[in-house]
Amino acid sequence: MTLGYLLTVGTFTGIFMILTLSLNILTGYAKQVSLGHAAFFGIGAYAAAILATKFGLSFWAALPCVVAVTTVVGIFLGLPSLRVSHDFLVLSTIGLNFIVGSVFKYFSFFGGSMGIVDIPTPTFFGKAFGTVGYFGLTFAFVTLAVLTSIYFSRTWGRLAMEAFGEDETAAKAMGINVAKFKIYAFAISSAYAGIAGALWAHYVGSVFPENFGFDRSIDILAMLVLGGLGTIRGAVFGALLLQVLPEALRFIQDYRMLVSGAVLALMMVFQPMGLLGKGSFLYLRSLGILRHFRRGVASGAP
Amino acid sequence: MELLETEGLTKDFGGLRAVDHVDLVVRRGEIHGVIGPNGAGKTTLFNLITGYLRPTYGAIHFKERRIDGLPTHRIVTLGIARTFQIVRPFTELSVLENVLVAWGHRYYRKTGPFRPYANARRRAREILESVGLADRADIPAGTLPIGLQRRLEIARAMALEPELMLLDEPAAGLTEEEIGGLKELVGRIVATGVTVVLVEHRMSFVMDICEVITVLDHGRVIAEGAPEEVAHDPAVIEAYLGTGSVNAAG
């Protein structure tokens, strides 16, 4: 196992952390269950790829445009949520994967099934990012995503989203414009997904429609649910676990899907709030140990 | 014009007329009861006033402004708060956060949603203290017993700082002792200048605290006036007990 390999795994893990934090706004707070999140990710990646190869924009110049494009398309794709909810919304978000995937595949502007290749590596003051540099770049964005998520979790917007996510009728009686906040949730979530997409496109150097399919959407949702829906720690931890674990368990490669399926089923039965979610066993235990440790330190002092 | 006035308010559900030409007038500072047998249209009336339903005919004026057709969240910010007959706390949020969600009504516009709410915690805690829920501020609202969930409903309505508060069966499912506390709480809310309209089945409660009572039956107003007048109105007795009971009682 070389350092380069570890950094590559780390970079992909970072990209998925941004994606789970993104989905946490939409599904964790606003409870709009999305099984189409890879579509938003893909729109970000394709926007970055096109701006870099067809318009010759640098990673940095293109980034604001990528975020803007993903946000606008995200708002548009979020409009069905104003008419359908719960199971029906889940079904329509599954549809998003196939619609967006088909657009990438059948329009030559998006490279068709040949995808878009030769996306340049970003540079910083004229110097191209190496493996180490890109890992650093990714985690700078992960840090940014975590900090902005923490900020958002302390705002009126998060409270409003959690409120209507649980009960739209009661939320309206609290003065919440539910339609507006649903659109906010899709917009914010898409903006994060756009950044993740740009990082992916410039790291891998190519984008293909299959990179952003339904199975990837399931991966992202599974990470968030496993870590703990509605919590930032859960989003980060879930992405880490489901990206690193399969790498560590390569020897059971053939049974990978079996094992992750079993893990998810057991989680649903025993810890539906996720490993580090609100009131989960692991989280309460670690709080307890922390408190015990603090008390120990306090009583040990002369 | 009075605080709230409805003119010829009518709501049809298919062939059923749930509310039938109701002219309700609520004056500032009063406690106004709306009573009537099951299915009389009381909750439908509340749903019309708060914008959950659109009237088939008629108009609703609040503070001289026509509000029928406005979305619920706009009506709330204009100053009408309501509670629900079947309590609807945000069960996964803490008791304190429930009150904060209501307190936030003034921040849900423009850049408000992107500002932190930490500064409002103290005010939300004060509201919880005034309804006697301060010691449960940090537990999930879903774990409160029903009596306290009703208090939380009222706490959220208080946090909306309304001019008009609509209480939908606030005494349902409460013990006699809890009703005593509720009376006292409603009294305190009215003392701060809030006008209260309440729908209720517990007659003793309504008779005790209301200054004006409107009686609905089959969607129509059949009587209106002070509690003692209404209680002796033959049409009211008939609506509650059925035809013939007036003679039997008399």
Side-chain angles (χ1 to χ4, degrees), chain A residues 96-112:
Chain A
L96 291 183
N97 291 298
F98 299 106
I99 294 167
V100 171
S102 312
V103 170
F104 291 157
K105 204 169 205 158
Y106 297 112
F107 285 85
S108 54
F109 180 72
F110 298 105

Side-chain angles (χ1 to χ4, degrees), chain A residues 151 154 157 166-167 169 180, chain B residues 52 88 91 108 113-114 117:
Chain A
Y151 177 80
R154 295 174 180 173
E166 198 182 317
D167 187 339
T169 303
K180 184 176 86 174
Chain B
Y52 284 97
R88 308 187 82 118
T91 55
Y108 296 141
F114 303 102
Y117 60 79

